[in-house]
Structure formats: structure tokens, C-alpha cells
Amino acid sequence: MTKSQSASGGVALWRQIADAIRLDIVGGKLANGDRLPTEALLAERFSANRHTVRRALAVLAEEGVVAAEQGRGTFVKSIRRLSYPIGKRTRFREGLRGQAGSLTSVSISDKIENATARVAEALGLKPGTKVVRTESMSVADGVPISRSTTWLPYRRFPDFAARIKEMQSTTMVFQSYEIADYSRASTRISARHADFEETRSLNLAPGAIVLVSEAVDIDLEGEPLSYALTRFPAERMELVV
Amino acid sequence: MTKSQSASGGVALWRQIADAIRLDIVGGKLANGDRLPTEALLAERFSANRHTVRRALAVLAEEGVVAAEQGRGTFVKSIRRLSYPIGKRTRFREGLRGQAGSLTSVSISDKIENATARVAEALGLKPGTKVVRTESMSVADGVPISRSTTWLPYRRFPDFAARIKEMQSTTMVFQSYEIADYSRASTRISARHADFEETRSLNLAPGAIVLVSEAVDIDLEGEPLSYALTRFPAERMELVV
């Protein structure tokens, strides 16, 4: 293993270089269309060899952050993050309208289980109460943009899983249960590294970051309808309050 | 360099193990006070040697996530994240009241500069207009919990920097400029790896994640007062909407 690949603080040098260049872009030091410094200059700046710099650039190219042009150098491509609005009235499809050509929801799996303390608390149930749990993700223009785990009271929504597969819209499923309207009671936002399953399902590079939103939706009477744990790839999404 | 330290996807194995255990804790699989599996079991689970597992546990211990007890094993200590509420009326000190014994704001530096396109747009100014820029951080019970860069129109707040150093409260400084009340116009939340300066000032391990909030506050007439870029260590803070 060469020096260039050695881990400093557990993060390989090529990843640190990729992070630094990405930050320059996100921070506005490098704008869309700008030419990056040459490999030789980047190698000097980061005290790295050119092989390591090339690896960092390859990662950024794969992410769509930069693009190499034959004989001309490497250029910045704007990082297009989708903005997902969070408010009293939070609707996934509405919130992203106009930001993506196609937006699809994919049901991955579902099961009926007993509520853990955390799920029970969020839904105002006793721990151990039967809940429906669904695993799903959403894809914008072919790119995964979220991965959700959602719990709902089984008693009220016994066949939620079948209906969401058919209708692919939470709002429509709630309407089918005669819930005219619903709103967001609370959203808790944190961030962490993606776990193995998320890395795979969201098609992320190892070490990628997810924004995690924990959301409770309630009906007009204030009754909790669902508790959803949604992971958004930080490189593709931002949340707007 | 041993196999245990080799980078997979740019993230060392000991860091992956630390991340996985932290996830088990954050996700509720391991609760406060639980004993972790033995080093031998963890080594088996992660196909790692015990040296690597020990390194992961040492990192978690340093973060305050676990604690080794002589002769008894390693135990989970709850990750106490502070919750910072974001809403129409967002006040730093009020929002964290009761969550920390002591809360201090530290002014790092300030300067007068010309607004970049981004700052100008946020503040409703022409690019190049003079703005005050302040660098600050806040510390809860001795631990850094945020690092902010704030821009304000120079014309309206010529000596903001001197006043914030003296009063240490944005609300009080605004009052001193006869701004009776102000509110949050928008907050944009994203996440990324901490850069070198943030790692140092926030006392983070390399590879740590920051939640980034971009916030615009306005006065009662809707006039933008400030644009703040705040970085919160994701391991210490969550945002609640």
C-alpha cells in the first residue's frame, strides 16, 4: 500500500482531496464551468502524488461533480441538489415538483411487527402494539434520492402496504381511509454516515453522508398517522424549512 | 500497514466498525447502559482482528459514546445530542435552554467585505455592497456545538461586530439598533464532511460530519437582517422543525 492511500484519521487521502474540492465547489470558490487546477498543482497543494489526485478526480467525476474534457482539463459541473421543503404541509411529490423530470416511489418490502418503545412513543401507542412497517425509496430521474422506513398503526391501516403499492401516494392511501387531510407534527433532522444497506440501495460511495429526517404526520384531530425515518443522500438533497 | 488498517472505499475498517456500533446505538438496537458484545465477537462480526476492534472502541470512548469498565466490559453511554429548534421564531439561546448547564458564544473574528453574489442575494443587496462578516462559535458545557459565519448589511449595522462582542446576543444587538423583533425567513439544511478549519475549531475527529444551516432572518417589515451559515457537529446536535 502506497503512502498516498494511507488513512489519516481513518479517511484516505484521495477522499480528503475529493472532499476538499467538493467543498470549494459547494462553498463557491469554484463555480460551474471553472477549470480545476492541473493534477500537478493539486498534487502539490495536497502533498499527494498524481495517482492519488487522479483517484480523487475520478470519484468526483463519478459523482457528476466534475467532468474531464479530452486535452482541455477537468471542469466543474454544478452540483444540482434537489430541495425538499419541510413545513406544516409536507407532501413528497408536491415538494419536488418541477425539480425533476420523473419521480417514482418504489415499495421494497413490508411487514407487521410489534412497536418498539420509540415507534410506540411517536405514534402514541403502547409498546408492543401491532404496527405496519413499510420500506420504500424514491427515485428522481433515475437517481435514488430517499430511503424510508415508515410505521403506521395496524389497527387503523391494516392493508396500508397493499394500498401504497397500488397507489404509490401516501396522500391517496390516506384518502382511501377517509382521511381528508393530514399535516406534519414534527420533523427531527440529523446526519450520519450511510450504513451498508443504505450505501447499496441509494447507490452511494462508501463513506457517503445521509440526512436523516424523523417525521410524525397527524390527522385533523391530531391523531398520529405515521412515523417515518427517511434517509436522504446529502450529496443529492437538501431540506428547506 | 496491516490489513486491519487498509482503506475500503476510502474509509478505514476501524472507522467502519465505530460507525456501525454508533448506528446501533443511535438506531436503538443498543440502549444506554447495554454491554457491548465482547471484542472477540465484534472481531468476528466485522471480519477484523481484535486490534482493529479495540481501535474502534477507543474512538467511541473518546467521543463519549461508550465507556470501558475495568473487568466488566464496554458499556453504552447514551449519545446526548442537543436539539436545536428551527421555526419562525428561532433564538439560539432560548432554543437550547434547559439542555445545557452553560452556553457561551465566542466571537472569533470580523471584517468588512464586499458581498459575493450569494450573500448579496440572501440579503437583498447588489453584489459588491459592503457587508459586515463575523465568525463565531458557541460552546455548551465546554463542548463546541456550532460554528457560524454571519453577514449583515454594513450600512445598517456598521458596528455590529463590536456590539456582538460586548452583548453576546444577536437579539440584544438588534434591539440596540431599535429592531424590536425579527423572524426566520428561511432555513436551508444540508450535510457534509467538516473541512479542516471546522475539524479544528469544533474539536472533531477527521471525517466527522457537520449539519449546515443557511438562514436568513428578517425584521417586521420583511427586510433581511442577516445571512448566517452555521455548521453543527452532527454527532452533538440535531435540528428540530
Side-chain angles (χ1 to χ4, degrees):
Chain A
M1 180 164 284
T2 65
K3 175 173 173 286
S4 68
Q5 291 172 294
S6 78
S8 146
V11 180
L13 184 54
W14 61 264
R15 175 169 294 284
Q16 293 179 43
I17 296 172
D19 284 351
I21 295 173
R22 204 187 295 101
L23 265 180
D24 281 352
I25 297 170
V26 172
K29 276 187 210 160
L30 284 169
N32 194 14
D34 279 0
R35 191 204 311 255
L36 289 189
T38 60
E39 282 176 14
L41 281 172
L42 289 171
E44 202 184 309
R45 170 174 164 200
F46 293 107
S47 310
N49 65 39
R50 291 174 67 159
H51 170 76
T52 306
V53 167
R54 235 168 272 144
R55 189 164 176 195
L57 294 179
V59 167
L60 292 173
E62 211 172 285
E63 289 175 11
V65 172
V66 303
E69 292 186 24
Q70 188 65 37
R72 293 191 58 224
T74 301
F75 293 81
V76 176
K77 291 170 65 178
S78 67
I79 302 184
R80 196 180 66 112
R81 282 200 179 117
L82 303 186
S83 297
Y84 181 52
I86 291 178
K88 262 255 103 9
R89 206 187 138 77
T90 295
R91 301 288 184 272
F92 200 82
R93 209 162 282 271
E94 259 176 43
L96 293 170
R97 186 162 295 159
Q99 296 187 61
S102 80
L103 192 63
T104 51
S105 300
V106 183
S107 293
I108 299 171
S109 67
D110 56 85
K111 64 191 274 199
I112 291 158
E113 62 184 24
N114 299 320
T116 61
R118 191 170 191 148
V119 168
E121 194 197 346
L123 291 174
L125 304 171
K126 278 190 193 129
T129 309
K130 269 210 249 177
V131 286
V132 179
R133 169 182 175 161
T134 66
E135 303 286 347
S136 61
M137 54 187 292
S138 50
V139 177
D141 298 330
V143 178
I145 56 165
S146 73
R147 172 79 183 75
S148 292
T149 306
T150 308
W151 290 267
L152 308 98
Y154 172 75
R155 205 186 154 136
R156 188 161 180 187
F157 305 108
D159 54 359
F160 182 91
R163 295 196 196 181
I164 192 76
K165 254 181 241 158
E166 191 197 319
M167 304 183 184
Q168 288 187 30
S169 149
T170 306
T171 304
M172 282 175 66
V173 174
F174 282 157
Q175 279 169 355
S176 78
Y177 282 108
E178 294 177 14
I179 293 161
D181 204 2
Y182 64 101
S183 64
R184 180 63 56 91
S186 69
T187 310
R188 195 171 279 275
I189 299 164
S190 55
R192 56 170 170 75
H193 286 109
D195 67 19
F196 300 106
E197 192 279 327
E198 289 154 1
T199 301
R200 197 184 47 73
S201 64
L202 291 169
N203 195 21
L204 296 169
I209 297 171
V210 287
L211 279 162
V212 181
S213 111
E214 276 184 74
V216 176
D217 280 336
I218 53 173
D219 66 15
L220 293 172
E221 280 75 43
E223 197 66 35
L225 298 173
S226 64
Y227 169 59
L229 200 65
T230 304
R231 288 83 82 198
F232 301 95
E235 64 203 52
R236 298 176 200 151
M237 297 287 287
E238 59 181 11
L239 309 177
V240 179
V241 182
Chain B
M1 179 162 289
T2 65
K3 175 173 175 287
S4 67
Q5 291 173 295
S6 77
S8 146
V11 180
L13 184 53
W14 61 265
R15 176 170 293 285
Q16 293 179 43
I17 296 172
D19 284 351
I21 295 172
R22 203 187 296 102
L23 265 179
D24 282 351
I25 297 171
V26 172
K29 276 187 211 161
L30 284 168
N32 195 14
D34 279 0
R35 192 204 311 254
L36 290 188
T38 61
E39 283 176 14
L41 281 172
L42 288 170
E44 203 184 308
R45 169 173 164 202
F46 294 106
S47 310
N49 65 39
R50 291 174 68 159
H51 170 77
T52 306
V53 168
R54 235 168 272 145
R55 189 163 175 194
L57 294 179
V59 168
L60 293 172
E62 212 172 286
E63 290 175 9
V65 172
V66 303
E69 291 185 24
Q70 188 65 37
R72 293 192 57 224
T74 301
F75 292 80
V76 175
K77 291 171 64 179
S78 66
I79 302 185
R80 197 181 63 112
R81 282 201 178 119
L82 302 185
S83 298
Y84 181 52
I86 291 178
K88 262 255 97 16
R89 207 188 138 75
T90 295
R91 300 287 183 273
F92 200 81
R93 209 162 282 274
E94 260 176 42
L96 293 171
R97 186 162 295 158
Q99 297 187 61
S102 79
L103 192 63
T104 51
S105 300
V106 183
S107 293
I108 298 171
S109 68
D110 56 85
K111 63 190 275 201
I112 291 157
E113 63 184 24
N114 299 319
T116 61
R118 191 172 188 148
V119 169
E121 194 198 345
L123 292 175
L125 302 171
K126 278 191 192 128
T129 309
K130 269 209 249 178
V131 286
V132 179
R133 169 182 174 162
T134 65
E135 303 287 346
S136 62
M137 54 187 291
S138 51
V139 177
D141 299 329
V143 178
I145 56 165
S146 74
R147 172 77 182 76
S148 293
T149 306
T150 309
W151 290 268
L152 308 98
Y154 172 75
R155 204 184 156 137
R156 188 161 181 188
F157 304 107
D159 55 358
F160 182 90
R163 295 197 195 180
I164 191 77
K165 254 181 240 160
E166 190 197 319
M167 304 182 183
Q168 288 187 30
S169 149
T170 305
T171 304
M172 281 175 66
V173 173
F174 282 157
Q175 279 169 355
S176 78
Y177 282 108
E178 295 178 12
I179 293 161
D181 203 4
Y182 64 102
S183 63
R184 181 62 58 90
S186 68
T187 310
R188 194 171 279 275
I189 300 165
S190 55
R192 56 170 171 73
H193 287 109
D195 68 19
F196 300 107
E197 191 279 327
E198 289 154 1
T199 301
R200 196 184 48 74
S201 64
L202 292 169
N203 195 19
L204 296 169
I209 297 170
V210 287
L211 279 162
V212 181
S213 111
E214 275 184 75
V216 176
D217 281 337
I218 53 174
D219 66 15
L220 292 172
E221 281 77 44
E223 197 67 35
L225 298 173
S226 65
Y227 168 59
L229 200 65
T230 305
R231 288 83 81 197
F232 301 95
E235 64 204 51
R236 298 176 199 150
M237 297 288 286
E238 59 180 11
L239 309 178
V240 179
V241 182

